[in-house]
Amino acid sequence: DQQVKQNSPSLSVQEGRISILNCDYTNSMFDYFLWYKKYPAEGPTFLISISSIKDKNEDGRFTVFLNKSAKHLSLHIVPSQPGDSAVYFCAAITNTGNQFYFGTGTSLTVIP
Amino acid sequence: SQTIHQWPATLVQPVGSPLSLECTVEGTSNPNLYWYRQAAGRGLQLLFYSVGIGQISSEVPQNLSASRPQDRQFILSSKKLLLSDSGFYLCAWSGTSGRADTQYFGPGTRLTVL
């Protein structure tokens, strides 16, 4: 049962434009959400997170938006750079758990 | 600062052979530890997680097992590998002060079963 879903397996964006990666979840008990970036043959690295008490968190070129009513979050990267090309995973965790639930990932390609 | 190590980085094993992958964490105590597998073209599948020495939770029934003999050591094992065990194995840790809010991943092990 996939509780965190990333329905777009891939995305291509021109350099300098905005990249928008989407993530949906089904478990209303999730209260903390994270985005990870993964290069081939490497472990994922933490990128940005957001608590359910917020609807937006910004860190440099990266902004995460949370819409709790729609059970939807998105990661905006602007401006996109070729070095952003990677697989992006969203993840969620409940307020009582230690288990992280990951989406299936979206492969972002930023075209120079 | 905390670091997480995994070895080996790559491994090629024949079907039916045993497996032992090791993960160690430095710079923290009593971490939560996790094993994930990323199969080709797929997301991260949680295999096992541990909240303490000797405490292992299994998420997916399979021919793999995990052990935590020491606080900062997590081992993934198999007695007999299957072709379907091929994949990229990732170890991760998270803190236990309050609720874990971020996981940190190791560099991964690429396992190919022939």
Side-chain angles (χ1 to χ4, degrees):
Chain A
D1 179 28
Q2 192 73 27
Q3 298 187 46
V4 178
K5 301 178 183 179
Q6 294 174 258
N7 293 318
S8 297
S10 62
L11 175 68
S12 291
V13 173
Q14 286 290 132
E15 180 178 4
R17 306 295 288 269
I18 184 170
S19 295
I20 301 176
L21 297 98
N22 294 304
C23 180
D24 298 290
Y25 61 95
T26 58
N27 189 342
S28 58
M29 298 301 293
F30 289 147
D31 73 337
Y32 197 80
F33 305 88
L34 309 93
W35 284 95
Y36 284 82
K37 176 180 180 180
K38 184 183 180 302
Y39 293 117
E42 293 184 12
T45 54
F46 169 72
L47 195 57
I48 192 169
S49 62
I50 187 167
S51 166
S52 62
I53 63 173
K54 296 184 175 181
D55 55 18
K56 176 183 175 181
N57 188 27
E58 188 173 355
D59 183 4
R61 297 186 296 113
F62 302 91
T63 303
V64 55
F65 295 91
L66 176 63
N67 182 335
K68 289 193 295 288
S69 61
K71 293 190 176 66
H72 177 84
L73 66 155
S74 61
L75 175 68
H76 292 209
I77 306 173
V78 56
S80 301
Q81 299 174 353
D84 296 329
S85 298
V87 176
Y88 290 79
F89 291 97
C90 66
I93 188 171
T94 66
N95 61 358
T96 56
N98 293 302
Q99 184 173 345
F100 291 70
Y101 294 83
F102 283 85
T104 50
T106 296
S107 178
L108 173 66
T109 301
V110 180
I111 304 165
Chain B
S1 62
Q2 301 88 2
T3 56
I4 179 168
H5 304 279
Q6 279 186 251
W7 64 90
T10 60
L11 190 60
V12 180
Q13 292 284 95
V15 169
S17 64
L19 172 74
S20 180
L21 302 180
E22 190 162 343
C23 170
T24 59
V25 181
E26 295 177 359
T28 186
S29 60
N30 195 30
N32 292 333
L33 296 172
Y34 308 81
W35 277 112
Y36 290 89
R37 176 171 61 204
Q38 183 186 18
R42 302 188 65 180
L44 298 175
Q45 179 187 33
L46 178 64
L47 302 175
F48 301 95
Y49 72 95
S50 171
V51 298
I53 296 175
Q55 300 178 61
I56 309 294
S57 296
S58 174
E59 293 302 308
V60 183
Q62 58 208 326
N63 68 320
L64 298 172
S65 62
S67 61
R68 186 169 177 175
Q70 300 180 41
D71 180 45
R72 289 168 288 179
Q73 184 185 30
F74 206 23
I75 298 172
L76 183 69
S77 304
S78 174
K79 293 181 179 179
K80 288 185 178 181
L81 283 169
L82 307 173
L83 286 174
S84 58
D85 291 325
S86 293
F88 192 58
Y89 288 81
L90 289 155
C91 181
W93 74 273
S94 67
T96 54
S97 57
R99 194 270 308 274
D101 60 6
T102 306
Q103 277 190 342
Y104 301 92
F105 285 84
T109 296
R110 171 73 59 193
L111 172 66
T112 303
V113 182
L114 301 176

